[in-house]
Amino acid sequence: MKVVLSPNPYRDRGLRAAQAAEKILRNVGVETAMCLPFLLEGSNLEFPKHIQFKDTQEELKNADMLVCFGGDGTILHAAKDANAHKVPILGVNLGSVGFMAELEQSELSMLSKLAAGKYTIESRMMLDVAVRRDGKVLFNDIALNDAVVSKGSIARVVRLDIFTEEGRLTKVGGDGII
């Protein structure tokens, strides 16, 4: 089994949680790869010298799971990469809310169950979001959980067409503010 560890270095200072998880997983025979969830341009963060970061996209090609360390925002960001490679994601909460995380930092020892296959995978719906105007796609991305349409602080009337894989589901808005 191979697990990609993806710590948010702003939440996991010194990568302590990720290193603890790596030790737990390696002790039960799991191969690990340490990958940063995003580029750190202009950052002056210091990392332990022995850690060798690998390319997330390359490592996810043959990974069995992605373990993400951070808050809900970090998990939402990592979900895009995991989804692109059909790899399940497990969130470890290092943030303040942690609605999307399955584990708290104090529960890292539970990671040892991964090697024995003692876990379940829950499917989550991903949203394919596109902004179109006059038949032209202005923006397209995928999202886990929600997508926000926003332009400033003043509410405006919008009309949305929502499509499922089977076709158009419904029209939303037009007569009110959503």
Side-chain angles (χ1 to χ4, degrees), residues 71-90:
D72 287 346
T74 307
I75 295 168
L76 287 169
H77 180 80
K80 289 182 183 185
D81 293 332
N83 181 66
H85 295 280
K86 308 291 187 245
V87 174
I89 184 170
L90 173 66

Side-chain angles (χ1 to χ4, degrees), residues 29-84:
V30 174
E31 177 187 351
T32 62
M34 192 77 71
C35 302
L36 291 172
F38 42 77
L39 295 175
L40 301 173
E41 295 179 16
S43 173
N44 60 355
L45 290 173
E46 292 187 25
F47 299 107
K49 302 273 188 252
H50 68 278
I51 295 179
Q52 293 184 7
F53 293 107
K54 298 184 178 180
D55 180 76
T56 304
Q57 299 305 317
E58 284 300 313
E59 295 303 320
L60 285 174
K61 287 179 181 177
N62 61 353
D64 297 296
M65 184 173 290
L66 170 65
V67 178
C68 180
F69 302 83
D72 287 346
T74 307
I75 295 168
L76 287 169
H77 180 80
K80 289 182 183 185
D81 293 332
N83 181 66

Side-chain angles (χ1 to χ4, degrees), residues 69-145:
F69 302 83
D72 287 346
T74 307
I75 295 168
L76 287 169
H77 180 80
K80 289 182 183 185
D81 293 332
N83 181 66
H85 295 280
K86 308 291 187 245
V87 174
I89 184 170
L90 173 66
V92 177
N93 182 35
L94 301 180
S96 54
V97 180
F99 286 124
M100 303 191 79
E102 196 64 33
L103 293 179
E104 295 295 326
Q105 187 170 355
S106 61
E107 300 173 309
L108 286 177
S109 64
M110 294 179 72
L111 291 172
S112 64
K113 295 180 179 186
L114 294 178
K118 294 182 180 179
Y119 60 91
T120 57
I121 297 174
E122 297 175 4
S123 294
R124 302 287 185 202
M125 181 172 45
M126 297 291 288
L127 303 172
D128 183 1
V129 180
V131 176
R132 294 186 172 110
R133 184 175 296 135
D134 300 325
K136 184 185 278 187
V137 176
L138 304 176
F139 173 82
N140 184 248
D141 206 350
I142 62 164
L144 172 66
N145 203 38

